[in-house]
Structures are given as C-alpha cells and as structure tokens.
Amino acid sequence: MEQTARSTGTARADVVAADIPSAAAGTATLRLGRGPDDRPATSASARDGAGVPRADAVIREHAEFDALAVAWDDLWERTPSATPFQTHAWTSAWARAYVQPGKLVVVTVRDGGLLVAGAALHRVRRGPVRLLAPLGGEISDHTDVLVDPGVPDAGPRLIQALLTVPGWRVLDLPEVLPGAAAEQWVQNWPGAVRRDAASLNLQLPALSVAGALARVPSRTAGTLRRKLRTIDRLGIERTEVAPGEVPRAVSDLITLHEAQWSGRRGNPEHSTDRFRRHLTGALAPMIERGQAVVVEYRVDGELMAGEVDLVGHRQLAYYLAGISPALRKRIDTAVLLVSGALDLTTRLGRSEYSLLRGQEDYKYRWRPEEVTATRMLLARPGLLGSAGYFGAAAIRRAAFSTARRTLRGPAGDLARRAMHGVRILRART
C-alpha cells in the first residue's frame, strides 16, 4: 500500500531513554532521525546494524510520537496481522484527544536505525492498580503490538524495554484477535498471563454482492434482492471523501449519527468533542495512506448518510455510520452499507469484510463468520504479581455474565438503562 508522509513540522524525535539500558551499553539518548526522503533506512546495512547501534526507547511526549509517523507505519506494513487500530494516525490522534501529558508510554525497539517493534500504550489507574493500556481505548475494536517477523529478537527486546518502565503492575490488552502478533509475543512474557474471551467479531469473505447472496438461505436472499432493487430505484449517489474534506465530513457524519440514534441508547462517547477531535485527526492521514475510506451517500444532492471504513492488510472494516432518519424510512440502510462495502472490499483487493464487534440482527442476515477476540492480562514479574487485578477482573467478568443470563424483562431493561447511564457519565468526564 503506497503511503504519503504527513508533515510533522519542526517536531523533533529526540527521545531520552532515561532509565532504559541500551542494547549496546550504558544509558542511551536516542535520536529517531530520518533520511532526506523522510523514510527510515531499510537497506541491508541498516538491517544488519552496520555502524548504527541497536537501541530501545520510551516515547513520553505527544510531539515525539507524532514525529514517528513514517517509521511507525513502515513497521505496521511489515507486521502482517496488524489492524487499522494500530496505525500511527489512529493511535496518535487518539492519544492527542484522550491522553493527558505525562501518561504516554510508547515503547520502541530499533535495529540499525530501523524500527522493528513497538507498543503504543498509556498509563491508567483502575482502583488501586496501575496499568498500561493500548492507545485507542474502548473506541478501538482490536488490540495488538507491532513486531517485525523478520527480526527474531524484536519481540523479546520489546518485553525487556517494557519492563524497564516503572510504576505499573499489569499490561491490559483487551481485544486480541486470533493470529495477532501479541499471541506469539506473550509466549515470552516472564510474568503471569491471564486470558479471557473478549468480544465477538463478525466478518464476511470478500465476495461480490451476488456471491454473498448465494451464501444465505433462498428466502433471505430474495428479501435482500428486493431491498437492493428499492435502493437502486432511489438513485443514490455514492462519493468518497478526500483528505481535505475530512473536518466537514466528520462534522456532518456525527450530526447524522446523533439524529439516527435520537431517543435510543446509542454510544454517548460518539457525541463528545474528544471523539470528534480523534476522528478528524485520524482520518485525513489514514485516507492519504490508504488506511481508511469515508463514504457519503446523497439523494438529489442532499447528504443522507456517511460511513467510515478502515482498511487493514486483509480486511475492510466497517467502523461508524451516520444515517438520516428520512433515508431509513425509505430503504434498508444496512443493506445499502453492506452491499457498498462488499464492492469496496473486492476493489481494494482485501480478503475479508469485517463488521467488527457486536451481534446486531442485520449482520447475521449475511451469515457472517464469528471470530472471538481474547483479553490478555500480563502481570509484571515479581512477588506482587497483578496486585489482585486478575482476581478482580475475573469477578467482574463473572458478574456481568450472570447478569446477562438471568436478567430478563423489566429487570433486564432496568439494568441496561443503568449501564447506559454509566456510559453517559463516563462520556462527560
């Protein structure tokens, strides 16, 4: 995938590895320099480390992480399992919108000047326990680290560098997909590891719309074909947003999204200023680098829907949409979005179309495949272990599972209302 470097102005990438031993010797001050074309060195001599020491560092400032854009995405390209939620634009924009100064912890490993491993994290506190959690937070569907598979010691060195960071007890990776780099990486973890089932993801193979309809029962296929004919008669114009249009497009999409969910229990985080800043900051460079597509749908020139799709190595992933209630009255908008995304998936040469997390009924009409992510909790080695966090997480998980199984009718609705109220309060803080 051809990438375009985002300008980083005069921001420097001078990183002081204050308490991180260099792989060469002593304590290093590492300058993450770049060549004249603003790309990291990738020559054989660079990979072999000729004349350039191997070095590990921790980035703690936003400007320093911003300046790492090209090297980070170059590593992202070399990590086959990486998803769009590990791209530089997504993680750095989220950090700018959500992470306070001093909380950033981006651990990097370089070999001969080439970035070969990275973990984009930040500090959080849950109860009495201090944790490291991935940049991207709850609005990101997938979690991983970046590790160059062509450098055998990149993963172990990333662990060593991470363990030099003081003041945390648990690394929480909440949504690790099967085959992610983190699955192999944690096999070398020197402390305790806990694995629990996380979210269910739904995905379809990359097929034409006709091919997708051939996979579903004939009655369902007939219903979907009728809905598609209704969409065709409406004469909807579909356009893809250019990077320079992103601020306007994000504003319009969120306005439509709020109208779509008015009076219903949508995600309150999507209406916050910080989410808007994140999405605006992330999508422009992601579109430039081929990592995202923003689609708009118009009827007679009027904007009626907008959609954000994220582009990974294997997948096109549906992330967010905003749909006018007037359009929803006229057509099945879920069929509109899925059929358009299937066409885009094949055009981009991806092998899967992911509907990401959630078990909504409209997704199951297309007979998707189910993929369950794993939550991985990694305790810092030592006598304290996870400081009780593993046990607390297990109790919380069991309580939610019991509530989902047993609460029905009015009690279940009351519980859902209470949880939605909690989400609203969290969105306001």
Side-chain angles (χ1 to χ4, degrees):
M1 184 185 307
E2 185 178 355
Q3 298 182 359
T4 303
R6 177 177 56 166
S7 172
T8 54
T10 59
R12 299 175 61 212
D14 299 331
V15 180
V16 179
D19 50 7
I20 299 180
S22 167
T27 301
T29 300
L30 175 65
R31 174 169 295 176
L32 306 180
R34 303 181 188 174
D37 61 351
D38 202 36
R39 292 192 61 81
T42 56
S43 66
S45 63
R47 283 189 175 275
D48 293 338
V52 184
R54 297 174 355 142
D56 309 331
V58 177
I59 292 173
R60 308 178 192 276
E61 302 297 332
H62 291 294
E64 293 167 356
F65 189 35
D66 290 344
L68 199 60
V70 175
W72 188 271
D73 272 351
D74 184 69
L75 173 59
W76 181 84
E77 289 284 357
R78 288 180 276 118
T79 305
S81 61
T83 76
F85 300 104
Q86 284 80 58
T87 60
H88 183 272
W90 186 268
T91 52
S92 63
W94 189 89
R96 284 282 188 185
Y98 285 83
V99 179
Q100 296 177 353
K103 300 293 186 180
L104 194 67
V105 180
V106 178
V107 185
T108 63
V109 174
R110 283 184 178 265
D111 205 353
L114 183 70
L115 187 66
V116 296
L121 310 167
H122 69 295
R123 297 180 183 273
V124 297
R125 188 175 186 128
R126 295 175 186 161
V129 184
R130 294 172 178 169
L131 289 81
L132 294 179
L135 299 180
E138 294 181 359
I139 66 171
S140 298
D141 290 60
H142 302 148
T143 304
D144 206 357
V145 294
L146 298 182
V147 180
D148 187 335
V151 182
D153 67 342
R157 286 178 57 202
L158 182 61
I159 291 175
Q160 294 169 10
L162 184 59
L163 292 177
T164 66
V165 178
W168 61 274
R169 292 306 320 167
V170 175
L171 171 59
D172 190 345
L173 303 177
E175 299 285 350
V176 179
L177 289 176
E183 282 195 325
Q184 180 70 28
W185 181 67
V186 300
Q187 294 182 17
N188 295 312
W189 190 258
V193 177
R194 179 182 175 88
R195 295 175 175 85
D196 290 311
S199 299
L200 183 69
N201 293 256
L202 301 177
Q203 61 190 43
L204 294 168
L207 296 168
S208 64
V209 174
L213 291 175
R215 301 175 70 250
V216 307
S218 58
R219 179 175 296 182
T220 303
T223 300
L224 291 172
R225 288 189 183 96
R226 287 194 297 273
K227 293 177 181 294
L228 286 165
R229 288 194 292 269
T230 301
I231 291 170
D232 289 341
R233 287 194 295 268
L234 195 56
I236 298 173
E237 178 189 3
R238 179 186 182 279
T239 59
E240 294 179 5
V241 172
E245 297 179 282
V246 163
R248 188 274 307 161
V250 167
S251 179
D252 288 345
L253 184 146
I254 291 178
T255 298
L256 288 168
H257 185 78
E258 291 173 342
Q260 174 186 349
W261 287 94
S262 178
R264 300 187 292 159
R265 289 195 288 265
N267 187 346
E269 184 63 30
H270 293 160
S271 297
T272 63
D273 288 340
R274 63 193 177 195
F275 179 76
R276 186 187 300 259
R277 292 197 306 272
H278 159 70
L279 212 57
T280 301
L283 288 178
M286 290 182 78
I287 292 172
E288 289 179 351
R289 300 167 192 174
Q291 298 163 344
V293 179
V294 178
V295 181
E296 294 184 327
Y297 299 87
R298 289 176 170 82
V299 177
D300 297 328
E302 181 182 358
L303 180 64
M304 302 297 283
E307 173 189 12
V308 175
D309 293 320
L310 305 181
V311 184
H313 299 316
R314 300 190 314 270
Q315 291 183 339
L316 177 75
Y318 162 72
Y319 181 71
L320 184 71
I323 303 169
S324 167
L327 185 62
R328 296 179 71 224
K329 291 179 180 179
R330 301 178 69 179
I331 63 170
D332 188 325
T333 54
V335 174
L336 170 69
L337 299 186
V338 172
S339 60
L342 286 172
D343 290 339
L344 180 59
T345 302
T346 55
R347 175 160 61 86
L348 294 176
R350 298 307 185 264
S351 59
E352 300 166 352
Y353 171 54
S354 176
L355 295 158
L356 297 179
R357 297 177 291 184
Q359 302 177 52
E360 294 86 349
D361 290 342
Y362 80 87
K363 297 179 181 180
Y364 278 100
R365 287 184 295 182
W366 298 88
R367 298 305 188 268
E369 300 166 358
E370 296 183 347
V371 178
T372 302
T374 300
R375 183 185 186 188
M376 295 183 178
L377 298 174
L378 286 66
R380 192 183 188 100
L383 293 177
L384 285 179
S386 72
Y389 190 76
F390 282 12
I395 292 171
R396 185 173 183 269
R397 173 181 169 79
F400 275 103
S401 179
T402 300
R404 282 194 297 267
R405 288 196 311 269
T406 59
L407 292 178
R408 298 287 188 271
D413 187 62
L414 180 62
R416 286 188 289 273
R417 288 178 181 273
M419 288 304 301
H420 186 64
V422 171
R423 295 171 75 187
I424 291 175
L425 288 175
R426 291 174 62 185
R428 291 174 178 173
T429 58

